[in-house]
Amino acid sequence: MLRYPSLRAPLDILFLVCCIALTADVLAPEIWGSGKTKDYPLWFWAGQQVLHGGDLYPSDPRAYFEFIYPPLPAVLLAIPAYFGKLFLYTCLSVLNAVAWWMTAQFSNAMAGSGQRPGPWLFALPGFATVTFVFDMFDLGQPNLVLLAMMLFAFWLLQHERPWMAGSMFALATAIKVFPVAVFPYLLWRRRWAAAASMTIFTAIFLFALPAPVRGFQHNVSELKTWFQGMVGTSSEQGFGQRGEQNWSWVNQSIIAVTHRLTRPVNYNQDNAAKPSATMNLIDVSFKTANWIVLAISLAIGLGFIAVMPPRARMTPRSDAEELGILFCLMTVASPLARQYYFMWLFFPITVLIHRAAYDPRVAVRAGTWAGLAVAGLLMCLSFPVFPNDLQAYGNNLAAAAVIAGELVWHILHPPPDEVTGSPPPAELQTEQQNQS
């Protein structure tokens, strides 16, 4: 099912036009304007620090970090940064374009429906998440690239190449830590080779790979500083290096929304020009709020385990639904889940679109479309025309919950032919042949 874009396919041409337009949004300010803003200058700075042997982090872990990622991404950025800003920004834009295409390819190939979707159905998840894609290009964030890497890793795992899959999981983790959430899943599903590979390659990417460039001791020292500044700090004021964002409306993680609902924290703290605003339904201590977060996370984790089918009942369809739930959980479990993090809903949305199009039960198809519509309306609340107060309640978090809930329903209620092992009815076979 994986293929290259074709100049004979209208939607493929539209995809290429969109990629060119999004890349122009990145390059035009650098060529004709005052320079591209957002995270792009930071990536160039990090690459230049590596090239000139400078420090990526201050010596004091409590000081402000300009660069909040592990050293490996800076080492990777140094290669294109050597050729200047324009070359670096072009490379990052091309990476995002390739990742966007491959995400759609892998998502449709792994949806578990056994069907090859038509061009409009194939492109529908891309239309549904296009605002997130715009953020990827405009901000210069790597979440779309990480999504493509994770999907590729699961595709490798399905094709019995666990060691290569583990290396991809490790690379994503070494770039931006939150994909590490896949590791407990690998252990629970007894994917021992993939888990071992992920462990080994994570150590290689964090310690061994940057060492020839940064020096082993220098790299270890920077890793220690990064860990203390990013992972080892947590207080009522926030965690990591972006305390002003942790409890604000921009963060839609389980942690942030729970704290906003249980403590009188100012969800406008990221903008000093806005008046202080709270939304808590109860008033508990910081410690109690953390216990509530832990209880919610534990309940969600146990619920996920409960709905996972045993090995004997696993099918390509249930595998896709299970992975869809996992991607939803990895997104909202990240301590900081800004708007663009929900790009990771691309795969769960694709799985549900396949169920809405190909499930043999008419009522199930209608219900799945309805659920997708509800999730879409919730995500639309992120548009600037709506007040931030609505987003503070976690509109994207709620959308992820709706999508995950639909996937849970589909796992627990597979089509009758999958339960009994009997072939599909004759009319469905005819319909599938026509769609093929």
Side-chain angles (χ1 to χ4, degrees):
M1 186 178 287
L2 304 182
R3 64 179 181 85
Y4 294 104
S6 172
L7 294 178
R8 297 181 178 180
L11 286 178
D12 290 7
I13 296 173
L14 177 61
F15 165 79
L16 294 173
V17 170
C18 288
C19 289
I20 293 171
L22 291 168
T23 302
D25 173 68
V26 176
L27 300 183
E30 192 62 36
I31 298 172
W32 294 292
S34 56
K36 179 60 180 173
T37 57
K38 308 298 172 64
D39 288 325
Y40 284 94
L42 175 61
W43 306 148
F44 182 73
W45 175 86
Q48 291 296 313
Q49 290 296 102
V50 172
L51 291 171
H52 295 96
D55 292 328
L56 292 170
Y57 318 102
S59 57
D60 184 358
R62 293 169 295 182
Y64 185 83
F65 287 13
E66 294 289 344
F67 187 74
I68 61 174
Y69 299 88
L72 177 66
V75 174
L76 298 177
L77 288 166
I79 301 171
Y82 176 81
F83 300 97
K85 284 186 177 181
L86 202 59
F87 187 79
L88 170 64
Y89 298 176
T90 302
C91 288
L92 294 177
S93 297
V94 170
L95 269 178
N96 269 324
V98 173
W100 192 13
W101 178 261
M102 294 311 301
T103 293
Q105 294 288 307
F106 285 126
S107 295
N108 281 282
M110 297 166 58
S113 66
Q115 300 292 324
R116 184 185 294 273
W120 286 101
L121 195 67
F122 180 94
L124 186 54
F127 289 123
T129 56
V130 69
T131 57
F132 301 132
V133 175
F134 171 78
D135 283 343
M136 296 298 102
F137 279 85
D138 186 50
L139 299 174
Q141 277 291 321
N143 290 54
L144 178 54
V145 175
L146 297 179
L147 172 59
M149 291 168 58
M150 296 293 285
L151 288 170
F152 180 42
F154 278 111
W155 186 84
L156 289 168
L157 202 57
Q158 290 181 359
H159 289 77
E160 302 303 327
R161 294 155 80 177
W163 280 90
M164 196 168 181
S167 69
M168 295 302 299
F169 291 135
L171 181 57
T173 300
I175 292 174
K176 198 168 185 176
V177 180
F178 78 95
V180 73
V182 75
F183 187 73
Y185 173 80
L186 296 176
L187 294 178
W188 183 262
R189 274 304 187 189
R190 301 180 185 178
R191 295 285 192 171
W192 309 123
S197 173
M198 183 178 176
T199 303
I200 293 170
F201 277 99
T202 298
I204 291 172
F205 291 140
L206 290 178
F207 292 96
L209 195 58
V213 180
R214 305 291 285 163
F216 184 77
Q217 290 299 331
H218 188 192
N219 181 62
V220 170
S221 175
E222 287 197 319
L223 270 175
K224 182 179 178 181
T225 302
W226 170 82
F227 183 86
Q228 290 174 338
M230 288 299 301
V231 183
T233 58
S234 178
S235 69
E236 292 189 44
Q237 284 68 47
F239 44 85
Q241 282 288 317
R242 300 295 183 262
E244 73 281 0
Q245 297 180 10
N246 293 157
W247 311 132
S248 78
W249 65 271
V250 302
N251 188 359
Q252 303 239 335
S253 68
I254 292 176
I255 295 174
V257 174
T258 301
H259 273 267
R260 290 200 295 268
L261 289 171
T262 58
R263 295 196 299 127
V265 293
N266 175 21
Y267 61 77
N268 283 331
Q269 61 183 262
D270 63 310
N271 190 339
K274 291 184 177 181
S276 178
T278 60
M279 50 175 274
N280 56 303
L281 303 178
I282 57 176
D283 188 352
V284 301
S285 67
F286 174 71
K287 183 178 180 180
T288 302
N290 282 335
W291 279 111
I292 295 174
V293 171
L294 183 61
I296 292 173
S297 301
L298 183 61
I300 292 173
L302 292 176
F304 183 35
I305 290 173
V307 302
M308 287 184 186
R311 282 179 171 269
R313 290 175 47 207
M314 290 174 64
T315 65
R317 180 187 180 98
S318 69
D319 285 347
E321 292 153 359
E322 185 177 302
L323 289 183
I325 298 171
L326 178 64
F327 274 74
C328 290
L329 297 185
M330 285 194 292
T331 301
V332 300
S334 174
L336 181 61
R338 293 175 64 97
Q339 165 84 2
Y340 55 81
Y341 274 63
F342 291 85
M343 178 75 236
W344 277 40
L345 296 183
F346 191 110
F347 176 68
I349 289 173
T350 304
V351 174
L352 287 177
I353 286 174
H354 277 245
R355 302 297 174 269
Y358 299 120
D359 195 286
R361 298 160 292 185
V362 175
V364 171
R365 293 201 299 268
T368 304
W369 282 123
L372 283 168
V374 171
L377 290 173
L378 286 168
M379 288 191 287
C380 285
L381 295 177
S382 295
F383 291 154
V385 295
F386 296 103
N388 296 339
D389 306 66
L390 288 176
Q391 297 179 57
Y393 283 92
N395 63 300
N396 285 325
L397 174 62
V402 170
I403 291 170
E406 280 202 281
L407 291 167
V408 167
W409 190 94
H410 278 280
I411 281 185
L412 297 177
H413 302 87
D417 58 283
E418 286 201 9
V419 176
T420 62
S422 60
E427 60 271 16
L428 178 59
Q429 292 184 17
T430 303
E431 179 183 347
Q432 291 176 344
Q433 289 170 0
N434 293 335
Q435 292 169 340
S436 300

